[in-house]
Amino acid sequence: MSTDIKELQYPIGECVVPESYTEAELKQWISVIAALPQWLDHCIENLDAAQLDTPYRPGGWTINQVIHHLADSHINAVTRLKFALTEDKPTIKPYNEKAWALLPDVAHTPVNVSITLLHALHRRWVAILENMTPEDFKKEYYHPEDDRHVPLWAMTSTYAWHSRHHMEHVRQLRERMGW
């Protein structure tokens, strides 16, 4: 894979979860999760159907697919968080995100529906995160595809990265295209 394609695929770099975290880092991750829906509002403002159907890189998803993927992914994230908070190290259910991006709801649902969903979902997600105790952030779920236990603080780091990662796909495409 050429460097240019890799930079388009990972505009903020690949996800690296730290070995530990500080309270300041945790607050920053939560603020990113809180900000994503507003960032997306700005990123897609005044884009037309053809622009929303433009892939962010050769072979990549369209803006439409990216936005709907964020809604799908973050619904799963909140569900995993709630399972981990209410059960003892639950095993989560992985899903095929590439197959989900090809389902009819992605092609036939306006992108603003998923952005509206993200506004509501992130508000609830942040309400949970901001009210968790340090002990809560140590709780874990088991990810069978990765064969590892994921503490909730690490999940928060990952989804802050995920939010910025996909927002930058859209923002940078718009910038490159002069939209």
Side-chain angles (χ1 to χ4, degrees):
M1 180 183 302
S2 80
T3 303
D4 292 337
I5 294 295
K6 184 136 179 124
E7 288 174 5
L8 292 175
Q9 186 174 9
Y10 294 102
I12 63 169
E14 294 188 46
C15 183
V16 177
V17 178
E19 297 280 326
S20 62
Y21 71 97
T22 66
E23 186 67 28
E25 288 171 319
L26 188 59
K27 285 181 181 182
Q28 177 61 31
W29 299 331
I30 294 169
S31 73
V32 167
I33 291 169
L36 177 67
Q38 292 84 11
W39 291 345
L40 293 175
D41 285 340
H42 179 74
C43 285
I44 69 156
E45 186 174 26
N46 297 322
L47 294 182
D48 62 30
Q51 292 166 323
L52 291 170
D53 244 0
T54 304
Y56 71 89
R57 67 173 169 87
W61 285 339
T62 65
I63 292 173
N64 188 53
Q65 288 173 308
V66 168
I67 302 294
H68 290 305
H69 161 72
L70 281 163
D72 290 339
S73 173
H74 292 190
I75 286 169
N76 276 280
V78 171
T79 301
R80 292 170 180 179
L81 174 70
K82 287 185 165 202
F83 278 131
L85 288 170
T86 60
E87 299 178 13
D88 185 28
K89 297 183 182 178
T91 299
I92 58 112
K93 170 101 173 80
Y95 70 102
N96 183 337
E97 64 184 33
K98 291 177 184 172
W100 283 35
L102 299 175
L103 290 172
D105 65 317
V106 172
H108 299 290
T109 304
V111 72
N112 66 320
V113 171
S114 280
I115 291 183
T116 300
L117 189 156
L118 286 165
H119 274 278
L121 182 67
H122 279 237
R123 186 166 181 176
R124 291 189 60 192
W125 190 1
V126 169
I128 295 169
L129 292 171
E130 289 180 339
N131 289 285
M132 287 170 55
T133 66
E135 293 75 30
D136 288 335
F137 280 103
K138 293 176 187 173
K139 291 182 179 182
E140 303 175 338
Y141 60 78
Y142 177 71
H143 198 304
E145 282 183 341
D146 298 339
D147 190 27
R148 68 184 179 97
H149 286 89
V150 178
L152 295 181
W153 69 264
M155 175 200 188
T156 306
S157 170
T158 298
Y159 280 96
W161 172 86
H162 189 255
S163 295
R164 289 183 56 236
H165 168 72
H166 285 305
M167 181 276 298
E168 283 295 326
H169 284 148
V170 177
R171 190 193 68 75
Q172 288 183 19
L173 173 63
R174 187 174 182 146
E175 186 176 279
R176 286 192 311 276
M177 300 300 281
W179 298 337

